[in-house]
Amino acid sequence: MNLPQEVRYRAYTDWSTDEIAKINDNVKQSPWHASYHIEPKTGLLNDPNGFSFFNGKYTLFYQNWPFGAAHGLKEWVHTESDDLVHFHETGAELRPDTKHDSHGAYSGSAYEIDGKLFLFYTGNVRDENWVRDPLQIGAWMDKDYNITKCEDVLIHQPSDVTEHFRDPQIFNYKGQFYAIVGAQSLDKSGFVKLYKAVDNNVENWEEVGNLDFGGTGSEYMIECPNLVFVDEKPVLLYCPQGLDKSELNYDNIYPNTYKVCQAFDTANAKLVGASEIQNLDYGFEAYATQGFNAPDGRTLIVSWIGLPDVDYPTDKYDYQGAMSLVKELSIKDGKLYQYPVEAITSLRAESENFAAKAETNNTYELELQFPANQKSEILLFADGKGNGLSLTVDTKDGKIILDRSKAGVQYATEFGTTRECSIDPKETSANIFVDNSIIEIFINKGEKVFTSRVFPEEGQNGIQIKSGEPTGTYFELKY
């Protein structure tokens, strides 16, 4: 949604009660609200922020501009959960209300320290000529959700980066706090900076160096870098904007990617034995994935179901964006798997054998098996006219194809209407989560993942089997 700069950066206190009520009423008119995914109450939801464990619960903030479906004066909105499935807003918000975040509380991370949650984020600051000064700043949230900001800037813009320097991720490695920050070099290529907390004081950081992860720098900016550890192996999650497509085949405006590494050499700022760059998600919408190592040993991630610089059909209802399901990472046979946390099964209500259905509530899970040596196609969000989201699982040639060219309201078609990936040609499983305007598909329990939006029109709520003989179970999901 294109809104004037003076609207997008208008102070929160300048919005009248009547204007806010009008926005709220418009949001309620949308036919596409999700049931069991996090959405903004109003306005734009984009990056997941501060994903962590605090005070016995899981914390997840979402970045938000609450006055419309546009990128403006961002805040963080706090949610928490006992099970990583049912999240609720607490009322706590990290507002852009100081000189160090005057033009937005941009993305960042969080970590519980001594009974408080440390929030580490980018303060977006602009001068009178609209020149940006990106500041890495901090705040503390106590158990009563009171937020107190650190007085001093924690990391200033280094001399070897442009104004594109953001998204600090704090993590603890072998008892020492480190942070990585996404950056753009002066010659306009993307890289990542590594920092270390001096004496483990998270309000005092020193640069270790530029993180060597085997990147080529063909991207012009790296956003949202996250370093997590799976079976003690470092996994770097990142969004390389403008990545050369000779390096990785992708169709979305910007990819969400990862590398699995063998070791983390902290002294030399190096990820040893980095794999080739891989797509984290093969669907139409997944970005800004954030992860952390939970106290119970799980490695958890969550993504923004959306993309920068893309307009969505919900924009006219003054909101946009959603959070993915929370997924657990694992490594099997050298491959990175991601699959919803076990608690997602608590949403399962009535179940029946999988079959074509003329009508559903578009809030369900399919657990399917596709036979070997067969090309199967099912149609979701289907109507009686042949419209719907086509999923082809080809176990003969080893390919998954998702086609939304006939699925609901069309948008972002300049980036294509199909997405695909290769699989081993053998019997294949798929767990498919549908939530009104969201679909998340997990092939072989998370070996490959497709996350997408679909905005069905009236009557587009059926399931059709176009070819093949898939079998399995249909579960109604109730939040």
Side-chain angles (χ1 to χ4, degrees):
M1 179 182 288
N2 293 319
L3 292 174
Q5 181 176 299
E6 60 268 23
V7 174
R8 292 184 290 114
Y9 288 89
R10 187 175 161 194
Y12 283 37
T13 51
D14 288 350
W15 291 83
S16 71
T17 303
D18 287 346
E19 286 174 312
I20 293 170
K22 186 177 179 181
I23 292 168
N24 280 313
D25 288 343
N26 195 30
V27 171
K28 291 174 185 175
Q29 304 306 310
S30 170
W32 295 309
H33 285 296
S35 168
Y36 55 92
H37 287 78
I38 295 174
E39 284 187 322
K41 285 189 292 189
T42 61
L44 179 92
L45 173 154
N46 59 311
D47 298 4
N49 290 157
F51 191 28
S52 54
F53 189 78
F54 172 58
N55 194 26
K57 295 179 185 290
Y58 294 95
T59 271
L60 175 60
F61 292 84
Y62 64 83
Q63 203 171 77
N64 178 230
W65 183 62
F67 305 109
H71 294 267
L73 189 59
K74 304 285 185 67
E75 65 175 350
W76 289 17
V77 176
H78 181 241
T79 75
E80 64 181 15
S81 173
D82 291 313
D83 62 0
L84 293 164
V85 174
H86 299 85
F87 285 86
H88 71 274
E89 294 188 13
T90 64
E93 296 168 336
L94 180 69
R95 284 276 177 91
D97 56 9
T98 72
K99 65 180 181 181
H100 292 150
D101 55 13
S102 59
H103 289 72
Y106 276 21
S107 291
S109 52
Y111 202 99
E112 182 173 5
I113 301 171
D114 297 332
K116 291 185 178 182
L117 189 66
F118 175 66
L119 311 178
F120 198 10
Y121 68 105
T122 300
N124 186 38
V125 176
R126 301 271 192 175
D127 67 14
E128 63 275 8
N129 297 315
W130 210 244
V131 175
R132 175 188 281 134
D133 184 11
L135 306 174
Q136 313 314 313
I137 55 179
W140 296 89
M141 186 171 79
D142 66 22
K143 293 179 180 180
D144 295 319
Y145 310 115
N146 300 305
I147 296 175
T148 304
K149 296 185 179 180
C150 303
E151 288 187 11
D152 297 327
V153 174
L154 305 186
I155 301 175
H156 285 276
Q157 179 182 345
S159 61
D160 59 344
V161 305
T162 71
E163 65 173 14
H164 296 292
F165 178 61
R166 55 183 174 268
D167 312 335
Q169 183 225 359
I170 181 174
F171 59 96
N172 186 317
Y173 183 68
K174 296 185 177 180
Q176 170 67 49
F177 284 117
Y178 293 91
I180 53 176
V181 186
Q184 180 186 70
S185 69
L186 299 179
D187 62 2
K188 306 295 174 63
S189 64
F191 70 111
V192 176
K193 282 208 172 275
L194 175 67
Y195 291 86
K196 177 180 179 179
V198 178
D199 299 326
N200 251 2
N201 174 7
V202 296
E203 293 192 36
N204 185 8
W205 295 89
E206 65 180 10
E207 181 177 332
V208 179
N210 297 339
L211 185 65
D212 179 359
F213 58 93
T216 66
S218 75
E219 64 280 298
Y220 61 75
M221 171 64 189
I222 287 180
E223 288 197 312
C224 306
N226 271 239
L227 189 58
V228 295
F229 297 86
V230 183
D231 299 334
E232 298 187 355
K233 290 187 176 180
V235 178
L236 182 68
L237 312 169
Y238 62 111
C239 297
Q241 293 189 323
L243 183 76
D244 193 307
K245 292 190 178 182
S246 66
E247 240 187 286
L248 182 72
N249 184 28
Y250 66 95
D251 292 310
N252 293 346
I253 184 171
Y254 306 121
N256 202 165
T257 65
Y258 72 90
K259 287 190 172 194
V260 176
C261 309
Q262 300 304 310
F264 181 30
D265 179 352
T266 57
N268 295 300
K270 181 179 177 64
L271 293 175
V272 180
S275 70
E276 294 295 312
I277 189 171
Q278 304 283 339
N279 279 304
L280 185 67
D281 196 290
Y282 290 87
F284 291 91
E285 275 97 5
Y287 198 72
T289 299
Q290 185 163 97
F292 80 105
N293 287 94
D296 63 8
R298 291 183 294 177
T299 308
L300 303 170
I301 63 168
V302 65
S303 304
W304 168 28
I305 308 181
L307 286 165
D309 307 323
V310 171
D311 294 329
Y312 285 85
T314 57
D315 290 4
K316 66 180 181 180
Y317 296 108
D318 285 324
Y319 80 104
Q320 183 193 118
M323 286 288 127
S324 74
L325 298 176
V326 175
K327 297 156 281 191
E328 183 176 355
L329 294 182
S330 59
I331 296 176
K332 303 172 188 175
D333 300 323
K335 295 179 179 178
L336 186 70
Y337 282 69
Q338 46 182 318
Y339 195 73
V341 294
E342 177 64 27
I344 196 67
T345 58
S346 68
L347 300 185
R348 290 177 175 177
E350 297 82 13
S351 65
E352 58 189 78
N353 289 335
F354 174 68
K357 293 173 74 73
E359 188 175 326
T360 73
N361 62 3
N362 276 346
T363 310
Y364 58 84
E365 177 192 354
L366 301 177
E367 188 165 62
L368 303 181
Q369 292 290 328
F370 295 87
N373 203 36
Q374 188 178 99
K375 186 175 182 178
S376 305
E377 182 187 4
I378 62 174
L379 211 59
L380 310 174
F381 302 99
D383 61 19
K385 303 174 184 176
N387 298 307
L389 178 71
S390 167
L391 174 65
T392 299
V393 179
D394 185 343
T395 58
K396 184 177 181 181
D397 292 331
K399 188 176 288 187
I400 309 287
I401 303 172
L402 190 65
D403 183 341
R404 70 176 182 191
S405 61
K406 294 184 179 179
V409 178
Q410 296 292 294
Y411 67 99
T413 54
E414 64 269 32
F415 301 106
T417 56
T418 63
R419 296 290 185 269
E420 64 179 65
C421 74
S422 59
I423 56 168
D424 292 334
K426 61 182 182 181
E427 182 181 3
T428 296
S429 72
N431 284 75
I432 302 169
F433 295 85
V434 171
D435 189 1
N436 293 313
S437 60
I438 295 169
I439 183 163
E440 296 189 62
I441 302 170
F442 298 87
I443 303 298
N444 294 328
K445 297 295 182 181
E447 179 186 355
K448 299 289 175 68
V449 180
F450 289 77
T451 303
S452 300
R453 298 303 300 256
V454 173
F455 297 93
E457 302 195 69
E458 190 172 352
Q460 294 181 342
N461 59 352
I463 299 173
Q464 296 177 17
I465 302 172
K466 305 290 284 185
S467 64
E469 299 174 341
T471 60
T473 307
Y474 170 95
F475 298 95
E476 290 280 346
L477 297 185
K478 294 186 178 177
Y479 188 69

